[in-house]
Amino acid sequence: MKKFKKMVQQAPLSRYVQSCLSLTAFTVFGFTAVESVSAASLHTGFASYAITDLGQANTYGMNNSGQVLLGQNGVGWIWDNGQMTEVKDSTWAYQINNSGQVVGRYLSENWTDNAYLWENGQRTDLGTLGGIGSSASDINDSGQIVGKSYIAQEKFNPFLWQNGTMIDLGTLGFNGGAMGINNQGQVVGYSGLVFGITHAFQWENGNMIDLGTLPGHNGSIAYDINDSGQAVGYSSNSLAQQSQAVLWSNGQTTDLGNLGGNISAAIGINNKGQVVGFGNTTGNGGLNHGFIWEDGKMADLNSLIPANSGWFLQQVSGINDRGQIVGQGINSATGQNHAFLLNPMCGSSQRNPLLPDNFEDNWHSFNNVANRLWFDPPTAAGFTFKIGDAATDGASGGTGDGCIVDKSSIALTPNPTEPSLFTKILGLPSGIDGDELFSVLVGGQEIGKFKPNEVVDFVALLGYGVSEFSVTGIDAVIDPKNPLAFPIKLESNRDQFSFKMRAEAVPEPSEIAGIVTSAAFFAGLVFKRKRKLEDDLVILEELASESDIEIASCNTLFSAEGD
């Protein structure tokens, strides 16, 4: 492609050929050049969560399979869909990777804490940096492990363990420890600058940088880092007894806010950029509440679970790429501190839509789904939605990305003989489209252009619900493999309804190569045609010199030839 571009730029007709390529790629094939959208500046709405009681325990790590590390009475356990596996001889289990490898610290026979790797039922002591005692805090999918190790009495440094060797990462001047590592080998943690002042750091390829603090603060700690290099933790003002959850990304420190109190801290971040942590809601002495932060907004997790759940969620330990969250809270049924697992409810947010049940005759079908949920069609430049009869009992849309279907929310419509109709579009997606403006058509006629935060009320606009409508004007270049390409929130006149959607296809990456090839071929034809026209002009000029015929300009002839 680079060689072809260079060839075009060197050709005498480069401007024209490039414009033809633009016309071919953007107009003929339906692409539109748009400015990129920063999803972080657009709030897509928080999910609702179902809560699972993991028993009287503390939660630590979790992987993308939903395996959770628990601590009970000085023993580490792996919770996996209700099944418990003991991490033998572990004492404290802090993190588990996607291969099921566990790291933490155990109490040795010499009554010292030693870092370990546990896999296949076996524990491996990771050693130390020369002192007595070490602890491992995180492991990535390559098996690289980070933590802290004593060098001498009252002196400890962060370490990276790989291939059987523990490496001293150094400090910013004083004691420190490594808290998190991503799959690129980037490490975050904390280090003292001088006695009493600690700053967050990021280490990569032998270089450690000070991540700094928020303005007016004197301390910070980083707990986690995702594969995009975004790190989270907190920044603090020790004199004011205040801390704020922060995000470090691309050299910028972002204040994530708080829940109303003077304390907040971010503990985990996933590869979608969702951040979890905890903070108080009032001043000093206020109880901690778990929170989630995404797309520039923070929400108390207690507001996202059923009001009658009987839970008060206080601490959060982590979030995985499926959006599952683990932590500890008070279970009112027992009055005790219990571990919990939160699963996002399918259809409750733009990030966790219900997926189609099946695909047949170019239609994606949703059968017997609950009303007022988010539904996700495939990637397309436009969609047609058509109401249908109830299908097989028990169907409720496909699940994806770790969400679960709330069967209890599906009720029976009081009047089953009433025809199903779409009554409203309750939400169009944010962060998808270049201009954030979508056209809605009924009967082939546009009834308006709408933004993500606007409700399309068919009854108010038309006087009736509709059995079919279309959404067009999706002018962003969307990744065809993105499972959340264009979620939409719909309302029907029935509590339970079925519908199907047909999509206009966006070219797959393999097709784009074909488009470029076609464009190049088209450009070649134009070049040949232009050369032929130039040859024709020479002949015409000879004829004109003999018969005094006025010759039209090259541009006129070229234009006429193209008509």
Side-chain angles (χ1 to χ4, degrees):
M1 183 62 189
K2 290 182 179 179
K3 290 182 178 179
F4 172 72
K5 184 176 180 181
K6 185 175 181 181
M7 178 192 73
V8 169
Q9 290 173 339
Q10 292 175 344
L13 302 178
S14 61
R15 287 187 180 181
Y16 180 77
V17 173
Q18 286 174 351
S19 67
C20 289
L21 282 171
S22 298
L23 175 67
T24 305
F26 290 102
T27 304
V28 177
F29 293 95
F31 286 175
T32 303
V34 296
E35 294 182 0
S36 61
V37 177
S38 174
S41 66
L42 301 164
H43 184 230
T44 59
F46 294 104
S48 298
Y49 293 89
I51 188 166
T52 301
D53 190 336
L54 303 184
Q56 192 172 359
N58 293 320
T59 59
Y60 295 102
M62 176 177 56
N63 62 19
N64 286 335
S65 299
Q67 294 178 307
V68 182
L69 282 181
L70 301 176
Q72 288 181 330
N73 301 319
V75 178
W77 297 84
I78 300 174
W79 182 94
D80 187 358
N81 197 29
Q83 301 296 315
M84 299 281 282
T85 300
E86 182 181 352
V87 184
K88 294 182 179 180
D89 303 320
S90 61
T91 313
W92 293 276
Y94 289 145
Q95 192 54 270
I96 181 171
N97 68 8
N98 290 322
S99 299
Q101 296 174 302
V102 176
V103 295
R105 62 187 174 100
Y106 75 98
L107 188 60
S108 72
E109 295 177 354
N110 297 325
W111 294 95
T112 60
D113 290 335
N114 288 2
Y116 71 84
L117 165 65
W118 185 90
E119 59 181 335
N120 301 321
Q122 299 295 318
R123 186 192 67 200
T124 300
D125 191 314
L126 302 184
T128 71
L129 291 173
I132 299 176
S134 60
S135 176
S137 57
D138 198 12
I139 180 172
N140 65 14
D141 290 337
S142 298
Q144 294 175 302
I145 301 169
V146 294
K148 73 173 184 178
S149 174
Y150 279 87
I151 297 173
Q153 188 175 5
E154 299 184 358
K155 181 173 177 57
F156 52 89
N157 280 9
F159 73 77
L160 168 65
W161 186 94
Q162 59 185 1
N163 302 322
T165 301
M166 183 177 287
I167 302 168
D168 189 339
L169 301 186
T171 69
L172 297 172
F174 200 57
N175 290 347
M179 302 299 294
I181 183 171
N182 64 15
N183 286 321
Q184 275 64 54
Q186 296 172 307
V187 181
V188 294
Y190 62 92
S191 172
L193 303 183
V194 295
F195 182 76
I197 299 179
T198 298
H199 276 198
F201 74 76
Q202 180 172 325
W203 180 95
E204 182 177 5
N205 297 325
N207 297 314
M208 178 179 288
I209 61 171
D210 186 338
L211 291 177
T213 69
L214 292 172
H217 287 194
N218 57 6
S220 59
I221 291 179
Y223 287 111
D224 196 17
I225 183 169
N226 66 13
D227 290 343
S228 297
Q230 296 176 303
V232 295
Y234 72 81
S235 175
S236 63
N237 182 329
S238 58
L239 296 177
Q241 295 185 335
Q242 178 187 25
S243 73
Q244 290 285 99
V246 293
L247 167 71
W248 290 277
S249 180
N250 296 320
Q252 300 295 317
T253 304
T254 301
D255 186 341
L256 302 187
N258 56 55
L259 295 173
N262 65 319
I263 299 294
S264 67
I267 302 300
I269 182 171
N270 64 14
N271 286 322
K272 297 178 183 178
Q274 294 175 295
V275 180
V276 293
F278 55 85
N280 56 12
T281 57
T282 57
N284 292 331
L287 294 174
N288 283 330
H289 293 226
F291 73 72
I292 181 170
W293 180 95
E294 60 185 33
D295 302 325
K297 301 291 184 180
M298 180 181 287
D300 188 329
L301 285 173
N302 290 285
S303 69
L304 304 178
I305 60 175
N308 61 352
S309 69
W311 278 87
F312 173 48
L313 311 182
Q314 291 186 290
Q315 304 287 337
V316 175
S317 305
I319 182 170
N320 64 13
D321 289 343
R322 300 167 68 188
Q324 297 172 297
I325 301 170
V326 292
Q328 292 100 244
I330 302 298
N331 184 329
S332 63
T334 64
Q336 297 175 330
N337 183 69
H338 278 212
F340 65 77
L341 169 66
L342 299 182
N343 283 285
M345 302 300 300
C346 294
S348 62
S349 79
Q350 179 181 323
R351 288 185 184 272
N352 304 100
L354 275 173
L355 304 180
D357 290 299
N358 55 61
F359 177 76
E360 186 176 356
D361 296 332
N362 295 320
W363 289 93
H364 293 261
S365 299
F366 291 82
N367 300 320
N368 294 341
V369 292
N371 201 1
R372 303 180 185 89
L373 297 179
W374 286 89
F375 305 97
D376 187 40
T379 305
F383 308 95
T384 296
F385 299 81
K386 187 173 184 179
I387 208 82
D389 296 328
T392 306
D393 291 339
S396 56
T399 62
D401 209 28
C403 65
I404 62 174
V405 175
D406 182 8
K407 300 290 186 179
S408 64
S409 67
I410 301 179
L412 296 177
T413 303
N415 183 9
T417 61
E418 184 182 62
S420 295
L421 294 171
F422 296 112
T423 53
K424 293 178 182 177
I425 300 175
L426 295 173
L428 291 160
S430 295
I432 298 294
D433 183 76
D435 61 6
E436 295 280 283
L437 197 63
F438 308 99
S439 298
V440 177
L441 293 77
V442 176
Q445 299 296 314
E446 182 178 298
I447 63 172
K449 296 183 184 296
F450 302 89
K451 288 186 172 293
N453 59 350
E454 294 180 293
V455 173
V456 183
D457 190 331
F458 293 118
V459 176
L461 291 170
L462 304 173
Y464 50 84
V466 300
S467 60
E468 186 173 335
F469 69 92
S470 299
V471 178
T472 62
I474 306 166
D475 56 10
V477 179
I478 306 172
D479 178 6
K481 298 186 182 301
N482 180 3
L484 304 180
F486 193 82
I488 187 170
K489 190 175 185 180
L490 298 176
E491 179 187 87
S492 170
N493 61 333
R494 302 180 64 144
D495 294 327
Q496 182 179 350
F497 69 111
S498 298
F499 69 97
K500 57 186 180 179
M501 59 183 64
R502 181 176 59 210
E504 300 172 20
V506 169
E508 295 281 349
S510 60
E511 296 175 328
I512 293 174
I515 289 171
V516 173
T517 302
S518 299
F521 177 72
F522 177 73
L525 290 180
V526 170
F527 187 86
K528 289 181 179 179
R529 169 181 268 184
K530 179 66 175 175
R531 288 292 301 272
K532 182 178 184 300
L533 287 172
E534 290 173 344
D535 292 341
D536 291 343
L537 280 174
V538 173
I539 297 173
L540 287 172
E541 286 174 352
E542 292 175 352
L543 291 173
S545 63
E546 296 175 0
S547 58
D548 296 323
I549 298 175
E550 183 178 352
I551 304 299
S553 69
C554 172
N555 288 337
T556 303
L557 282 175
F558 191 83
S559 175
E561 179 72 14
D563 288 340

